[in-house]
Amino acid sequence: MGYYMFFLTLVCVLNFHTIVRSQDSNLESYIVHVELPRGPTVSAVTDDLEGWYQSFLPATLSSSSEDGPHIIYSYHNVFKGFAARLSPEHVKEMEKKPGFVSARPQKTLPLHTTHSPNFLGLNQNMGFWRDSNYGRGVIIGVLDSGINPDHPSFNDEGMPPPPAKWKGQCQFNSAVCNNKLIGARQFTIGNGTPLDENGHGTHTASTAAGNFVRGANVFGNANGTAAGIAPLAHIAMYKVCNTRCSESDILAAMDVAIDDGVDIISLSLGGPARNFYDDNVAVGAFSAVERGIFVSAAAGNSGPSLRTIENGAPWLLTVGASSVDRKIRATAVLGNNEELDGESTFQPADFPSTLLPLVYAGSNSRNPNAPFCLPALLRNIDVQGKIVLCEEGGGIGRITKGRAVRNAGGAAMILVNQQPQGYTTHSDSHVLPATHLSYADGLKVKAYLNSTSSPTATISFKGTIIGDDRAPTVAYFSGRGPNRASPGILKPDVIGPGHNILAAWHISVENNTNTKSNFNIISGTSMSCPHLSGVAALLKTDHPDWSPAAIKSAIMTTADQGNLAGNLIEDETLRPAIFFAVGSGHVNILKARDPGLVYDIQPQDYVPYLCGLNYTDQQVEIIVNRPVQCSEISSISQAELNYPSFTAFLGTGNTSETYNRTVTNVGEANSVYTVETIGLPGVDMKVEPSTLQFSGVNQRLTYQATFSRLPNAPSNAVAQGFLTWTSGRHSVRSPLVVIFQ
């Protein structure tokens, strides 16, 4: 006992000493950008970047001490610079040193959290999936919360060895990694393992490239064979997140992934829009794209408000979230015989069909938080044996609400949306019988409650239903444009499955300890991003010579604008979705493999665009990682970038804008395309020439698109339309957005 008392006392003394030192020195993690000296000394510095970086630290303090200022990560690929523990005083001293560019405290970024391959038209042993070898040989680097390596989604049955170029590491023991999971590294400070502790990384990795797993389901629902979009692609996991993700770790992982030899980087994380030179995800991704690596990134979960898009750099594929045509139906049956269809993954077979008393948590309460079923507030309501109506929101999760109802004695829960969530409902693994209803159906439940003194209800569980012809719809949470960082670039680029997605999970939501084949259904642009990472892997296999921009163009110009019923894609209100929600449309991988024409962009083409954003030379240099003088470059406007979409601004002073585009023929050598424009009320649009005649593969032709404001055009409004080049075999469509100022 004496030994243990002494040990605990020693730990407390040491911790107290560390806390005092930390407070005295006021250390934070900074991202520091530097530039190499120019002239004859540059080669020596390049050979010893570590020494050059160390020279920026205070000379009077030991750089090796964890208590004092010290370098956390040295970056070699993403940019010239490092992450370090520093105080504001240290930074002020550093600013005086030649070669210093910038330093700012790092930010932490949030994560953006079976049937979807079939929904995308991929079927085992046939079609494009078979023809593309299921992504065989492509390496997808996933930056996320780690991975559960013993999940059957990561078995290597049928997998070839990794390509010879692979240089990565496995920080699990050597028996864990295999030909599927070829690498696993952790970057979160002090965590020590790539093991996934919250399930997010396991889910996203299996969505992108999980192997085939038969009998995948959650509580017996959504049963089938689970597979990633590129099931024979290799996975390299870079653990950069726990509940949040630090910029220094993200940059370190990108830096290593570039050296490791990945082909795709999948980023289901991000933060609010910032200027690209101040957005370290964008900066790191540029260096990856420059080396031919395709980068797919989540659009963020801050919708449905406008200007909520994240990861808006034009060298990224920015992915919004849509639904699939599968519902796990749980129907609320009211005492007046009205039936309202909702969703829930947990579907108990023994829940009685007899009507139970129904109570609204927000009834007769002046507390504005009462409708949200906060645990403390439910204690004031008699819910014993009753079905409780709860509302979404209030800072408490959906499953937590159900747990609060269960703990208070409630028999079941009807969860209803608030207005912003509209018709987007979730198939959650609830802890009690429950259903999640739309906002409109929630109003019907409340109207029924107010119509009778003895309201009753039950829930009828109907299992998995396939064939919702309104799919895909845009999920309410999916980030929307306009793109704050660059309003002249339409974002998101595309939408893909991200709502109620079944994929691998790190633990059993059913508390089943007898299997490692655990799955869960969750939602977020975190889920749509790896779908498109897998799509890019298949296209990379089919077209290994395509650049990242060519792959992105193929995805965008072939995307669908219609749902399964043949109507325009709708948003969470069940009204046609605007382009700021869908971008180019919903990914259609079967068309993307053969787009006919692509809008290609080389890395150097972004420099005139960045100068056109009125960035300083130094700010552009931070992004492109080399010296730049914008005064010597013919800068271009945002809309002049050779992007597969157009965004034009027409004010009263600038009533006409003309933009150039160059398309590359990747279809038949001899082909003729004619142009058609539709939509754009208030705009007279001309395209010259109106016909493009190609005589060879990889031939490039340029056209001009002129947008002219008509006298009847409204002010402070937005017009939408399409520009489509059509040949006998291909249709190459670009979305058009005109913002009237």
Side-chain angles (χ1 to χ4, degrees), residues 528-552:
S528 53
C529 168
H531 276 90
L532 270 296
S533 301
V535 168
L538 296 180
L539 294 175
K540 184 82 171 176
T541 305
D542 212 36
H543 301 282
D545 58 330
W546 280 7
S547 69
I551 292 174
K552 180 161 82 166

Side-chain angles (χ1 to χ4, degrees), residues 549-572:
I551 292 174
K552 180 161 82 166
S553 174
I555 291 170
M556 292 174 63
T557 61
T558 59
D560 290 331
Q561 279 70 48
N563 59 22
L564 295 180
N567 301 315
L568 290 174
I569 292 173
E570 299 169 331
D571 62 15
E572 73 287 344

Side-chain angles (χ1 to χ4, degrees), residues 128 131 148 162 170 198 225 309 381 428 530 577 595 604 687 712:
F128 182 44
D131 296 344
N148 188 31
C170 180
N198 65 30
T225 297
I309 200 76
I381 306 172
D428 288 321
Q604 64 268 21
V687 180
N712 64 347

Side-chain angles (χ1 to χ4, degrees), residues 107-130:
K107 298 178 175 67
T108 59
L109 309 178
L111 292 162
H112 290 152
T113 230
T114 57
H115 176 63
S116 51
N118 299 133
F119 182 67
L120 295 177
L122 298 173
N123 296 287
Q124 197 167 357
N125 299 320
M126 61 186 298
F128 182 44
W129 225 0
R130 179 196 60 202

Side-chain angles (χ1 to χ4, degrees), residues 11-190:
V11 169
C12 290
V13 170
L14 290 174
N15 283 344
F16 177 74
H17 177 69
T18 301
I19 291 167
V20 171
R21 282 289 305 266
S22 179
Q23 289 176 340
D24 288 345
S25 56
N26 194 25
L27 299 184
E28 292 184 78
S29 294
Y30 280 79
I31 307 294
V32 181
H33 291 260
V34 300
E35 61 183 8
L36 299 180
R38 299 175 188 180
T41 60
V42 65
S43 60
V45 170
T46 303
D47 292 339
D48 184 22
L49 277 179
E50 299 290 338
W52 176 244
Y53 295 162
Q54 289 285 354
S55 71
F56 287 88
L57 296 184
T60 55
L61 294 171
S62 168
S63 62
S64 63
S65 169
E66 293 297 311
D67 296 337
H70 64 281
I71 290 177
I72 304 170
Y73 296 116
S74 295
Y75 304 126
H76 301 86
N77 295 313
V78 289
F79 57 78
K80 295 302 183 285
F82 53 91
R85 296 285 291 170
L86 300 167
S87 70
E89 291 74 23
H90 297 145
V91 173
K92 288 179 182 178
E93 289 300 313
M94 191 181 290
E95 290 171 353
K96 302 174 185 177
K97 298 190 176 186
F100 174 85
V101 174
S102 67
R104 67 161 175 78
Q106 75 165 356
K107 298 178 175 67
T108 59
L109 309 178
L111 292 162
H112 290 152
T113 230
T114 57
H115 176 63
S116 51
N118 299 133
F119 182 67
L120 295 177
L122 298 173
N123 296 287
Q124 197 167 357
N125 299 320
M126 61 186 298
F128 182 44
W129 225 0
R130 179 196 60 202
D131 296 344
S132 65
N133 284 317
Y134 305 93
R136 184 187 299 267
V138 174
I139 303 170
I140 302 178
V142 182
L143 275 64
D144 215 293
S145 65
I147 195 165
N148 188 31
D150 58 357
H151 193 283
S153 290
F154 310 122
N155 82 79
D156 64 354
E157 180 182 350
M159 292 290 304
K165 68 174 182 174
W166 173 246
K167 301 175 185 175
Q169 298 180 15
C170 180
Q171 292 180 338
F172 292 120
N173 67 62
S174 58
V176 171
C177 289
N178 55 28
N179 287 333
K180 165 58 72 177
L181 179 62
I182 60 174
R185 297 181 62 152
Q186 68 86 26
F187 294 84
T188 46
I189 302 302

